[in-house]
């Protein structure tokens, strides 16, 4: 499937009044006036941000400031003559193009409304909120364009032609109704722009589906040795500690942890020694700043699901030695699978009817929130990106030094695949160029080949290193075209829906000298389930300045394989069934299914399998030692 990135990142409707937040400290020049310019392309207008007018959160207006006008998504749809693409939407193409082929020339970008960062002083116990008084101008084309003006970075398909398709017209009418449901004119303009970006993504999806574009599996090759650099080769180069002053760290912080029964931001989950994901991240970067005497800021990309929670959480870090910036990614409507219409009927509809379009939205969000320009203005040149739930993703100076020495504009950390990593995306060589391949892009007849460790030995950790100047150049000039990932979901009331998403790692094809670095497994320690949480909470790891350290008494470098059944799936069940986390320093494998409860000071060694069938219960008593044991049936503390 050949997929393209949607239009620019748009302001989230629910959180539109909360601008990106910048939390400085007493290091660096964080309190000076900042002037930020929009992209230098002639289709953009310049704007500035000045920290000079105190106000309250949420007072930043949306301001057009444009001498040109564009048609809203609310504009009436005129009937247009049939076109080739309209025919393609109704009848699949016989000769699908290759995966990464471009088709039509670019069109001018759409209007974009920007908001300014908010400064929070951390020099006092109670943070002082200072709201900037920005001069914000919408980024409109210099000449009047129709509604179908192309967003930078989206597909090269003629979207005006695509609107002749029945499904596209129906979607456009529904989106018009959504926009019409917003009363505030300024809010309506921002929401309108966001829905246009979604509409472009949707029409790309229609076109690609109509042409039946699929991956040409014969062109998929294992990456060359030069495209994947072993981490061990990075030891020889001397590290310059001054490089850290050019670095910023970004955490993708949009997840809810619903698979673990959570309802709030997943990064607020306590994972080790009563500390949350965010606590550990803040502690790591603060230690880096104080020991190396540098100013590495922390950036959090939130979603509409986690934005409010994140703003509340970061207040407790007001006196820590780091700056925190938070910005929100897009909110798109879920698509009904059968009707291909949006689930929400009103802009204020329940959150369950909307979705954030994946971490591939990162690049547009960085650009249009103003955060990218802010970082460049501060002299930052490199960005380390990782998921907030990956506790192994810490700043590594050797990787940063390698990036500088090799003049790579983009690095992707990969690690050796195991049977537990069959769904992880992998790097491939596609017609001599390095690409990211996700499992959703693989034809069904080749799924087993993809999951096998024979052909694809590594997978993407989603730890990415990005050259910020290169990112600015790409976004201003050619834009990004990221493959669409079709993510089918089922709502709580049983409706089949589709989410159109993109992956951040797919951007690797746009950067010069981009390649992978094969890192040790300890740089990939995600907590996706309660089985992962047991591993992290155990005596296998300790904390040092917020970083997980493997217990030196562990005889093997590999970690145990832990599989907990459905009775342990939710975090509340997990906490109830373990009075205390067992000692697993000498454990190789643990499988637990059914109604099983663990007492205090339990020790597990070798291979331990505990199975309580339906109607049965097993209680592991306090102080029990299980070594190479298989337990099943009804067992209580006395019998053990």
């Amino acid at each position: 499937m050949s997929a393209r990135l949607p239009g620019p990142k748009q302001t989230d409707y629910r959180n539109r009044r909360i601008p990106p937040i910048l939390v400085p400290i007493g290091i660096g020049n964080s309190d000076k006036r900042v002037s930020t310019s929009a992209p230098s392309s002639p289709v953009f207008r310049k704007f500035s941000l000045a920290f000079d007018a105190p106000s309250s959160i949420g007072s930043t207006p949306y301001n057009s400031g444009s001498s040109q006008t564009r048609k809203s998504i609310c504009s009436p749809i005129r009937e247009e003559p049939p076109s080739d693409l309209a025919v393609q939407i109704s009848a699949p193409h016989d000769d699908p193009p290759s995966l990464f082929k471009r088709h039509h020339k670019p069109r001018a970008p759409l209007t974009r409304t920007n908001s300014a960062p908010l400064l929070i002083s951390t020099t006092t116990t109670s943070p002082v909120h200072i709201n900037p008084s920005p001069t914000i101008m919408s980024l409109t084309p210099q000449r009047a364009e129709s509604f179908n003006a192309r967003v930078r970075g989206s597909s090269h398909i003629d979207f005006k032609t695509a609107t002749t398709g029945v499904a596209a017209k129906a979607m456009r009418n529904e989106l018009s109704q959504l926009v019409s449901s917003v009363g505030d004119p300024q809010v309506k303009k921002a929401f309108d722009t966001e829905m246009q970006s979604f509409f472009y993504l949707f029409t790309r999806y229609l076109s690609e589906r109509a042409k039946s574009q699929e991956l040409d599996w014969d062109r998929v090759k294992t990456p060359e040795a030069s495209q994947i650099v072993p981490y061990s080769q990075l030891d020889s180069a001397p590290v310059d500690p001054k490089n850290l002053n050019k670095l910023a760290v970004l955490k993708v912080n949009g997840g809810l942890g619903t698979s673990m029964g959570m309802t709030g931001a997943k990064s607020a989950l306590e994972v080790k020694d009563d500390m949350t994901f965010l606590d550990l991240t803040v502690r790591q970067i603060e230690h880096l700043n104080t020991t190396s005497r540098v100013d590495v800021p922390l950036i959090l990309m939130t979603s509409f699901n986690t934005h409010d929670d994140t703003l509340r959480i970061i207040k407790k870090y007001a006196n820590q030695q780091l700056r925190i910036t938070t910005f929100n990614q897009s909110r798109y409507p879920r698509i009904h699978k059968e009707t291909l219409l949006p689930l929400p009927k009103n802009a204020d509809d329940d959150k369950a009817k909307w979705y954030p379009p994946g971490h591939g939205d990162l690049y547009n969000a960085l650009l249009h929130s103003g955060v990218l320009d802010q970082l460049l203005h501060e002299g930052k040149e490199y960005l380390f990106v990782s998921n907030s739930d990956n506790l192994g993703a810490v700043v590594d100076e050797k990787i940063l030094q390698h990036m500088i020495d090799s003049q790579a504009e983009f690095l992707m950390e990969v690690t050796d695949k195991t049977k537990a990593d069959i769904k992880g995306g992998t790097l491939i060589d596609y017609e001599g160029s390095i690409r990211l391949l996700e499992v959703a892009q693989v034809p069904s007849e080749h799924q087993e080949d993809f999951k096998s460790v024979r052909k694809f030995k590594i997978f993407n950790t989603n730890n990415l290193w990005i050259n910020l100047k290169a990112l600015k150049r790409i976004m201003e000039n050619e834009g990004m075209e990221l493959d669409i990932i079709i993510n089918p979901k089922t709502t709580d009331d049983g409706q089949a829906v589709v989410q159109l998403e993109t992956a951040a790692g797919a951007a690797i094809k746009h950067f010069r000298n981009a390649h992978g670095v094969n890192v040790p497994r300890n740089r990939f320690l995600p907590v996706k389930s309660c089985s992962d949480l047991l591993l992290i909470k155990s005596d296998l790891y300790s904390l040092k300045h917020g970083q997980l350290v493997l217990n030196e008494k562990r005889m093997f470098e590999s970690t145990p394989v832990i599989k907990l059944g459905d009775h342990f799936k939710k975090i509340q069940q997990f906490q109830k069934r373990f009075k205390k986390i067992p000692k697993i320093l000498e454990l190789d494998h643990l499988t637990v299914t059914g109604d099983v409860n663990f007492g205090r000071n339990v020790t597990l060694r070798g291979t331990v399998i505990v199975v309580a069938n339906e109607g049965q219960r097993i209680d592991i008593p306090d102080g029990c030692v299980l070594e190479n044991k298989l337990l099943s049936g009804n067992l209580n503390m006395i019998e053990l």
Side-chain angles (χ1 to χ4, degrees):
M1 169 188 313
S2 177
R4 313 285 189 253
L5 186 66
K9 158 72 182 65
Q10 309 298 343
T11 306
D12 183 280
Y13 170 67
R14 289 183 179 270
N15 299 295
R16 74 195 63 74
R17 294 183 179 275
I18 303 177
I21 294 181
L22 181 65
V23 183
I25 54 146
I27 5 182
N29 301 318
S30 55
D31 59 344
K32 62 184 178 183
R33 294 170 62 90
V34 178
S35 177
T36 308
S37 296
S40 57
S41 170
V43 297
F44 286 94
R45 297 176 61 94
K46 292 186 177 180
F47 64 95
S48 63
L49 310 174
F51 302 118
D52 56 9
S55 181
S56 61
I57 293 179
S59 62
T60 303
Y62 285 96
N63 200 358
S64 173
S66 172
S67 59
Q68 304 290 344
T69 59
R70 62 161 175 79
K71 294 183 181 180
S72 165
I73 199 169
C74 296
S75 303
I77 300 175
R78 297 189 303 273
E79 290 298 325
E80 300 173 2
S83 67
D84 293 339
L85 188 53
V87 174
Q88 292 171 6
I89 290 176
S90 60
H93 200 286
D94 293 329
D95 186 20
S98 60
L99 177 62
F100 302 104
K101 186 176 180 181
R102 298 189 177 188
H103 298 284
H104 302 278
K105 66 180 183 179
R107 302 284 296 276
L110 264 182
T111 305
R112 174 73 196 183
T113 303
N114 285 265
S115 57
L118 178 70
L119 185 72
I120 297 182
S121 170
T122 58
T123 56
T124 61
T125 303
S126 300
V128 178
H129 300 273
I130 304 175
N131 193 31
S133 175
T135 303
I136 303 177
M137 306 191 73
S138 73
L139 309 181
T140 58
Q142 289 190 342
R143 65 180 185 277
E145 292 281 344
S146 70
F147 162 77
N148 299 286
R150 174 185 175 271
V151 173
R152 177 178 300 277
S154 65
S155 166
H156 291 258
I157 294 171
D158 185 341
F159 288 107
K160 184 174 181 180
T161 306
T163 58
T164 59
V166 175
K169 284 186 178 181
M171 174 62 78
R172 181 173 174 178
N173 286 332
E174 291 291 324
L175 296 179
S176 297
Q177 292 298 319
L178 280 175
V179 174
S180 299
S181 69
V182 182
D184 188 324
Q186 294 176 342
V187 172
K188 185 175 184 177
K189 181 179 177 61
F191 184 63
D192 182 16
T193 308
E194 185 168 61
M195 290 303 97
Q196 290 183 59
S197 177
F198 167 76
F199 181 66
Y200 295 143
L201 182 65
F202 177 72
T203 50
R204 288 173 49 205
Y205 161 69
L206 288 181
S207 175
E208 291 168 9
R209 191 180 71 154
K211 295 175 182 177
S212 300
Q213 293 176 234
E214 289 188 354
L215 185 73
D216 187 344
W217 194 253
D218 292 335
R219 301 181 184 180
V220 175
K221 307 296 182 185
T222 303
E224 299 291 336
S226 60
Q227 295 173 318
I228 307 292
V229 176
Y231 182 81
S232 58
Q233 291 186 9
L234 276 53
D235 291 329
S236 57
V239 173
D240 184 354
K242 294 180 181 179
N243 292 337
L244 291 173
N245 275 319
K246 302 176 182 179
L247 181 69
V249 174
L250 185 146
K251 293 288 183 179
V252 177
N253 193 51
L256 284 176
T258 51
S259 62
M260 297 174 67
M262 296 183 62
T263 56
K266 185 178 179 180
S267 56
L269 175 66
E270 292 184 357
V271 288
K272 188 73 174 177
D273 298 349
D274 300 324
M275 298 185 72
T276 67
F277 288 107
L278 273 181
D279 291 339
L280 296 179
T281 298
V282 168
R283 192 169 180 181
Q284 292 165 15
I285 300 178
E286 182 184 35
H287 176 71
L288 184 68
N289 284 336
T290 54
T291 57
S292 301
R293 297 183 178 276
V294 293
D295 176 19
V296 176
L298 172 62
I299 304 164
L300 303 173
M301 186 177 80
T302 63
S303 70
F304 65 89
N305 287 318
T306 63
H307 192 74
D308 291 340
D309 279 350
T310 303
L311 292 181
R312 286 192 293 269
I313 292 169
I314 64 175
K315 290 179 180 178
K316 70 178 182 178
Y317 306 127
N319 292 325
Q320 305 302 316
Q321 296 297 298
L322 82 163
R323 294 180 293 130
I324 300 178
T325 302
T326 178
F327 66 99
N328 209 342
Q329 70 171 125
S330 298
R331 184 187 71 150
Y332 286 170
R334 283 178 155 181
I335 305 167
H336 195 283
K337 185 177 180 181
E338 298 301 326
T339 65
L340 292 180
L341 295 175
L343 232 57
K345 301 302 179 185
N346 187 287
D348 286 321
D349 267 359
D350 187 80
K351 284 185 176 182
K353 296 183 179 181
W354 306 83
Y355 75 98
H359 41 66
D361 192 39
L362 165 69
Y363 307 106
N364 276 322
L366 273 174
L367 176 68
H368 297 295
S369 65
V371 173
L372 176 57
D373 284 331
Q374 176 68 34
L375 291 173
L376 290 171
H377 177 84
E378 293 175 358
K380 304 304 178 185
E381 298 182 26
Y382 306 99
L383 185 66
F384 174 46
V385 178
S386 62
N387 295 337
S388 62
D389 64 0
N390 182 4
L391 296 175
V394 299
V395 173
D396 190 307
E397 293 186 64
K398 290 191 291 185
I399 298 179
L400 177 59
Q401 187 68 54
H402 169 72
M403 185 176 194
I404 296 172
D405 294 343
S406 65
Q407 297 183 334
E409 294 182 344
F410 189 101
L411 293 179
M412 176 187 291
E413 292 187 37
V414 298
T415 194
D416 292 340
K417 181 188 288 189
T418 68
K419 292 182 179 180
D421 311 308
I422 57 176
K423 292 184 179 180
T426 187
L427 287 179
I428 62 171
D429 183 297
Y430 196 85
E431 297 182 322
S433 181
I434 195 165
R435 296 284 189 271
L436 175 66
L437 179 64
E438 298 282 357
V439 64
Q441 299 170 283
V442 179
S444 56
E445 63 269 24
H446 296 292
Q447 288 282 332
E448 292 305 314
D449 293 340
F450 177 83
K451 295 176 182 179
S452 171
V453 297
R454 296 176 182 175
K455 184 173 184 178
F456 303 110
K457 303 180 185 299
I458 50 92
F459 72 98
N460 173 27
T461 65
N462 215 40
N463 297 348
L464 309 174
W465 298 76
I466 303 166
N467 183 304
L468 292 174
K469 291 181 179 178
L471 176 60
K472 176 80 169 179
R473 182 196 74 236
I474 291 169
M475 298 303 291
E476 283 188 345
N477 297 331
E478 65 267 28
M480 283 195 183
E481 296 184 351
L482 306 186
D483 300 329
I484 295 177
I485 299 172
I486 302 169
N487 190 1
K489 296 280 187 178
T490 303
T491 62
D492 292 339
D493 58 358
Q495 293 189 78
V497 297
V498 173
Q499 297 179 181
L500 306 179
E501 304 174 4
T502 55
I508 191 170
K509 63 184 178 182
H510 288 286
F511 292 86
R512 299 167 186 166
N513 298 324
H515 57 271
V517 177
N518 193 344
V519 298
R521 186 74 183 197
N522 62 8
R523 289 192 58 78
F524 184 68
L525 295 172
V527 179
K528 303 294 185 185
S529 65
C530 289
S531 298
D532 298 329
L533 187 60
L534 173 61
L535 193 68
I536 301 299
K537 282 181 169 288
S538 73
D539 60 340
L540 202 63
Y541 291 102
S542 59
L543 286 177
K544 183 177 181 180
H545 307 301
Q547 183 174 347
L548 289 177
V549 179
L550 186 66
N551 193 320
E552 59 183 13
K553 294 181 181 180
R554 172 74 176 176
M555 297 180 62
F556 312 102
E557 291 185 4
S558 61
T559 56
V561 175
I562 298 178
K563 297 180 180 179
L564 301 180
D566 289 342
H567 285 70
F568 296 80
K569 188 174 182 179
K570 306 299 183 183
I571 187 68
Q572 296 84 356
Q573 297 170 317
F574 173 86
Q575 293 169 340
K576 180 181 178 181
R577 292 182 178 278
F578 286 102
K579 291 183 180 179
K580 188 176 180 180
I581 301 300
K583 300 175 183 178
I584 63 171
L585 201 57
E586 299 177 52
L587 179 69
D588 298 322
H589 181 102
L590 172 67
T591 294
V592 183
T593 61
D595 186 3
V596 181
N597 297 276
F598 288 80
R600 295 178 176 85
N601 299 319
V602 173
T603 301
L604 306 176
R605 297 172 181 160
T607 297
V608 177
I609 299 175
V610 185
V611 178
N613 294 319
E614 187 175 353
Q616 299 175 335
R617 173 176 173 145
I618 297 178
D619 292 294
I620 310 297
D622 295 348
C624 181
V625 177
L626 298 178
E627 182 173 1
N628 296 322
K629 292 286 186 180
L630 168 60
L631 303 180
S632 63
N634 283 299
L635 297 173
N636 57 38
M637 298 177 66
I638 297 176
E639 292 171 332
L640 283 173

